[in-house]
Structure formats: C-alpha cells, structure tokens
Amino acid sequence: MAIAVNIDWPGITPEVYEAARDRVGWETDVPDGLVLHGSWFDDGGFHAFDIWESEGQFAQFIAGRIEPVMKGELGVQGDPQVTAAPLHRRFVPPGVSGAA
C-alpha cells in the first residue's frame, strides 16, 4: 500500500542536504518504490514530503542509504520526526512531469 511520508529534521541545513543528495544519489539511482520527493527549509530546519509505494521500501531506503550517510559520513546528530500514513489519493495534473 502506498504511503505519504512527512519528515521534519531540525538542524539540517541546505548544505548538509546537498551533501547527502550528492553522496546518496537518489536522483540518479532512484530507490525502489519512491514516487515523489519534495523538500524545503525554514527556521525549523529541513522538511520533506514523500510518496512511496510501500512502507517497507521507505524503511529499506532509510536504513540502507540515508542513515549510513547522514549518521556515518556526515556525522549528523539527532533524528528526524517522521510521520507516515496510507496514501488516500494521488493526483498529477496533465503535463506535469520530471524534476525541478
């Protein structure tokens, strides 16, 4: 079952995010099950919204690719607040595609 995931991670800066993006390479080696990823920053730190085909695929990506980079290579302290729920509906307007 597809899930919607919200991630809030105080203290993560755009520089840390970009370093993780480069090392993990989720845009060039797209993880199985990832449907959509959007991210932004505000005074509270890093925020992301993802859609995944399953909770298991999301968990596998975090454990196998994100945690080793964030906690290991980049030495990030603290953990994100992650909430997930079954996806009720997904709508993509006609003509919308690709990365921004």
Side-chain angles (χ1 to χ4, degrees):
M1 168 178 279
I3 61 168
V5 180
N6 190 66
I7 302 165
D8 298 308
W9 203 336
I12 299 301
T13 64
E15 294 78 19
V16 170
Y17 174 81
E18 291 301 327
R21 191 172 68 86
D22 289 343
R23 287 176 171 88
V24 175
W26 61 78
E27 292 176 4
T28 55
D29 181 14
V30 179
D32 290 339
L34 177 62
V35 175
L36 173 87
H37 171 76
S39 62
W40 66 97
F41 296 87
D42 63 17
D43 292 340
F46 169 76
H47 307 279
F49 174 76
D50 288 0
I51 296 176
W52 286 82
E53 291 176 2
S54 74
E55 190 169 357
Q57 289 169 312
F58 171 70
Q60 183 177 9
F61 174 66
I62 296 300
R65 293 178 61 185
I66 293 293
E67 285 182 357
V69 169
M70 294 297 280
K71 299 291 186 163
E73 293 180 34
L74 299 176
V76 170
Q77 300 295 311
D79 293 312
Q81 179 181 357
V82 178
T83 54
L87 184 66
H88 176 73
R89 176 120 173 92
R90 180 182 79 189
F91 169 74
V92 179
V96 173
S97 65

